[in-house]
Amino acid sequence: MIINDLLSPGENEKYFMLGNEAAVRGVLEAGLSLAATYPGTPSSEIGDILFKIAKDANVYFEFSSNEKVAVEVASAAASSGLRTFSFMKHVGVNVAADSLMTSAYMGVEGSFLLLVADDPSTFSSQNEQDTRHFARQANIPIFEPSNPQEIKDFIIYAYDISDKFNTPVIVRTTTRVSHMRGIVETGKYTKNQITSGEFKNEGLHVPVPEIARTMHKNLVEKIKDIREVSNNSPLNKVIDKGSNIGIITSGGAYNYVADVVNKNNLNVNILKLGFSHPFPEELVKQFLIDNDEVLVVEEVDPINEMETLAVAGANNIDVKIHGKKDGMLPEIFEYTPDIISDALCELLSVDTDVIANTKSEIPLPSRPATLCSGCPHRASFYAARQAINSLNLDIESIHPSDIGCYTLGIAPPYNMANYLMSMGASVGTSCGFSKATEDQPIISFIGDSTFFHAGIPPLINAVHNKTKFTLVVLDNRITAMTGGQTNPGIPIDGMGDEAPAISIEALVKSIGVGFVETINPLNVNDMIDVYKKALDYDGVSVIIAKYPCNLINKKEIRARNYKVVVDNSKCVHCNKCIDQLACPSLNEINGEITINLDCNKCAVCIDVCPTGAIHKQE
């Protein structure tokens, strides 16, 4: 859809929206005043859209330095009476959890919605954790839409719950729900007029132990009251077909169930949970009484299944409950209609040919991610590998990496990632390796956005505790992997206005790092020399490899008035360009080196070629 259509004041208009676009329309219709995020797929498009329309919508928006800060910004603004919004991917909640847990104790005087996009099957993440655990741990209500229309509608409903009970609320989507498209009918939208509030120190906002105990007691009572709302919520629906077999499902998993049941006209009852925590125990209890067998379908962990088992046990209901725990459904990865078809064949005791299955005998081709042609990270990895190889070590080098495009350094021929945990952990784990190993050289990698997110505290730790390793800050001038959002190192803020850019070099020097070099990594021979000096330095050394990502460097790329060509008469077939640089624009065809039309003319291969066979042609 056209982004500006999200600002249409019209009611009952219909648009073909991405799930994340529907989320933006939902918060706008709900009267959003402030939003804050750290970008993370599969939620990134929400921030990209708000970045473009925030001024027109009269909404304050920022790309915070990390998810914890984003939650703190939104929570504080909500405690000043505003309607606020934060959003992130599932692992971002780990970062935000410290403040998120306490925000539930404190409550909000306005309203605060957190949208979390989970990633079953880890399409763009290091794990597939389930945010519903956090909702239960924090005693925060959670809503699970299954399509773009529900995303918009559930957001408005969730804000009303936040208002009524002065509590943060969570809307949980998944990759498929965030990135699916569907028809969305709009409600009324009026441009926001509330840009400031007032913080009144009338509630409980400082959870010292005595006050925290009172807060917790109040929160438990609040959740009991919200449970009554959940039991009667229109977001929880029973589709009754008069059967004695039932399915309890929620979120994106409902779509697979609906596809199989409707396509095969199966006689099963469905309880669709849209308001899944506090768990609607009375509603589930009646559904269990009405059915002899029940299958619980959910992604990723058996959370609703365990709650359902608890309801059956507490009420002595004689019903068979199936799901992940008894193996009828897999415990990992996202579902498909085929997985649901197999489970329903087992549940209904019918042959697999009775329920239509869409499995194909043709395997999907493997399409591993790769660094773009001309990516500055490739030059950084190549130079690091050459510097390491020059040491002629009998022991393996260590390369902690971080979350971003540069994780792809794991692939050969670079092999520049052999330990990865989370945002900023490349620096913290380098501290550990420095203390636990003696002769193994350590070169770790982190991006500019990730450095601001979580790399600064462990670097302080590294200096203070006298560690020895080389940290390469891959400063490509943008938050690249999630689509090109700003970060504190960029002179533009989330409103698109000019903002102070934080100097990574000045910051690193200010905490006492003794070796700091900033270099253009495309000057690959100079880069190799800097690596050698950094490895020889007795302490923490930092190399800032500074060159813009192709996503934001297209104008300069177009201005390069030359081609990179190969004179195969000079080529000695050392294959250094193919085997060691491994740029996707370079290929060997019929014994000759060729360069594709997608070449971005970074010219690194020219420096790599030992015979001058690769050169510029004006």
Side-chain angles (χ1 to χ4, degrees), residues 164-277:
K164 182 176 180 180
F165 293 96
N166 300 115
T167 182
V169 292
I170 296 174
V171 169
R172 180 211 188 210
T173 65
T174 57
T175 300
R176 298 298 181 188
V177 177
S178 290
H179 289 163
M180 73 186 297
R181 290 190 180 273
I183 299 296
V184 175
E185 184 172 331
T186 62
K188 186 178 181 180
Y189 163 62
T190 304
K191 184 175 180 179
N192 175 56
Q193 299 299 318
I194 304 172
T195 57
S196 65
E198 180 184 358
F199 174 68
K200 299 177 181 178
N201 193 24
E202 297 172 352
L204 302 177
H205 297 106
V206 184
V208 293
E210 183 178 356
I211 296 176
R213 287 190 286 270
T214 300
M215 288 177 169
H216 195 190
K217 177 178 179 294
N218 293 343
L219 180 58
V220 169
E221 293 299 319
K222 187 183 295 184
I223 284 293
K224 288 180 181 177
D225 293 338
I226 299 175
R227 192 183 306 279
E228 292 303 311
V229 178
S230 176
N231 276 310
N232 297 286
S233 172
L235 274 52
N236 296 325
K237 302 175 182 178
V238 175
I239 303 169
D240 189 351
K241 293 192 176 182
S243 174
N244 63 348
I245 303 293
I247 299 174
I248 298 176
T249 186
S250 63
Y254 165 76
N255 296 324
Y256 309 127
V257 170
D259 281 349
V260 175
V261 169
N262 294 336
K263 183 175 183 179
N264 296 278
N265 196 27
L266 300 179
N267 188 31
V268 294
N269 305 320
I270 299 175
L271 171 55
K272 179 181 183 295
L273 298 179
F275 191 167
S276 63
H277 178 72

Side-chain angles (χ1 to χ4, degrees), residues 106-386:
M106 294 165 58
V108 291
E109 281 64 46
S111 47
F112 171 33
L113 169 70
L114 173 66
L115 184 145
V116 182
D118 283 5
D119 191 18
S121 290
T122 64
F123 289 104
S124 58
S125 312
Q126 66 268 40
N127 66 44
E128 55 175 354
Q129 71 188 46
D130 196 320
T131 295
R132 295 176 299 168
H133 289 295
F134 276 107
R136 282 156 173 79
Q137 182 180 351
N139 270 327
I140 294 176
I142 192 165
F143 305 86
E144 297 187 68
S146 63
N147 58 55
Q149 181 71 59
E150 287 188 351
I151 290 176
K152 184 191 80 72
D153 295 341
F154 282 23
I155 281 174
I156 296 169
Y157 183 96
Y159 269 123
D160 290 341
I161 295 296
S162 181
D163 273 339
K164 182 176 180 180
F165 293 96
N166 300 115
T167 182
V169 292
I170 296 174
V171 169
R172 180 211 188 210
T173 65
T174 57
T175 300
R176 298 298 181 188
V177 177
S178 290
H179 289 163
M180 73 186 297
R181 290 190 180 273
I183 299 296
V184 175
E185 184 172 331
T186 62
K188 186 178 181 180
Y189 163 62
T190 304
K191 184 175 180 179
N192 175 56
Q193 299 299 318
I194 304 172
T195 57
S196 65
E198 180 184 358
F199 174 68
K200 299 177 181 178
N201 193 24
E202 297 172 352
L204 302 177
H205 297 106
V206 184
V208 293
E210 183 178 356
I211 296 176
R213 287 190 286 270
T214 300
M215 288 177 169
H216 195 190
K217 177 178 179 294
N218 293 343
L219 180 58
V220 169
E221 293 299 319
K222 187 183 295 184
I223 284 293
K224 288 180 181 177
D225 293 338
I226 299 175
R227 192 183 306 279
E228 292 303 311
V229 178
S230 176
N231 276 310
N232 297 286
S233 172
L235 274 52
N236 296 325
K237 302 175 182 178
V238 175
I239 303 169
D240 189 351
K241 293 192 176 182
S243 174
N244 63 348
I245 303 293
I247 299 174
I248 298 176
T249 186
S250 63
Y254 165 76
N255 296 324
Y256 309 127
V257 170
D259 281 349
V260 175
V261 169
N262 294 336
K263 183 175 183 179
N264 296 278
N265 196 27
L266 300 179
N267 188 31
V268 294
N269 305 320
I270 299 175
L271 171 55
K272 179 181 183 295
L273 298 179
F275 191 167
S276 63
H277 178 72
F279 197 64
E281 295 175 355
E282 289 301 316
L283 183 62
V284 172
K285 173 185 172 182
Q286 188 59 52
F287 190 77
L288 296 179
I289 291 172
D290 293 340
N291 293 276
D292 297 332
E293 289 190 73
V294 169
L295 174 67
V296 183
V297 182
E298 58 188 321
E299 298 170 331
V300 175
D301 292 335
I303 296 174
N304 290 341
E305 183 179 348
M306 295 298 291
E307 297 254 27
T308 301
L309 287 164
V311 170
N315 294 280
N316 296 313
I317 302 171
D318 185 16
V319 58
K320 293 181 180 178
I321 297 172
H322 306 283
K324 296 173 181 283
K325 302 301 290 183
D326 67 351
M328 189 171 285
L329 287 167
E331 290 196 58
I332 57 175
F333 307 144
E334 68 172 2
Y335 288 160
T336 65
D338 293 335
I339 291 173
I340 304 304
S341 295
D342 291 343
L344 288 179
C345 285
E346 185 176 350
L347 179 68
L348 299 173
S349 300
V350 298
D351 293 335
T352 53
D353 58 354
V354 174
I355 299 177
N357 202 299
T358 60
K359 288 179 181 175
S360 172
E361 298 301 322
I362 303 173
L364 291 173
S366 175
R367 297 176 62 189
T370 185
L371 295 170
C372 301
S373 170
C375 175
H377 299 341
R378 177 177 288 104
S380 295
F381 291 145
Y382 171 83
R385 176 49 57 197
Q386 298 307 305

Side-chain angles (χ1 to χ4, degrees), residues 427-437 442 444 458-471 512-514 534 537-541:
V427 191
T429 55
S430 294
C431 295
F433 284 124
S434 172
K435 296 300 182 182
T437 64
I442 304 164
S444 55
L459 187 59
I460 293 171
N461 181 81
V463 174
H464 178 71
N465 289 297
K466 302 181 290 294
T467 58
K468 174 177 168 55
F469 63 89
T470 296
L471 174 67
V513 176
Y537 181 75
D538 188 19
V540 180
S541 53

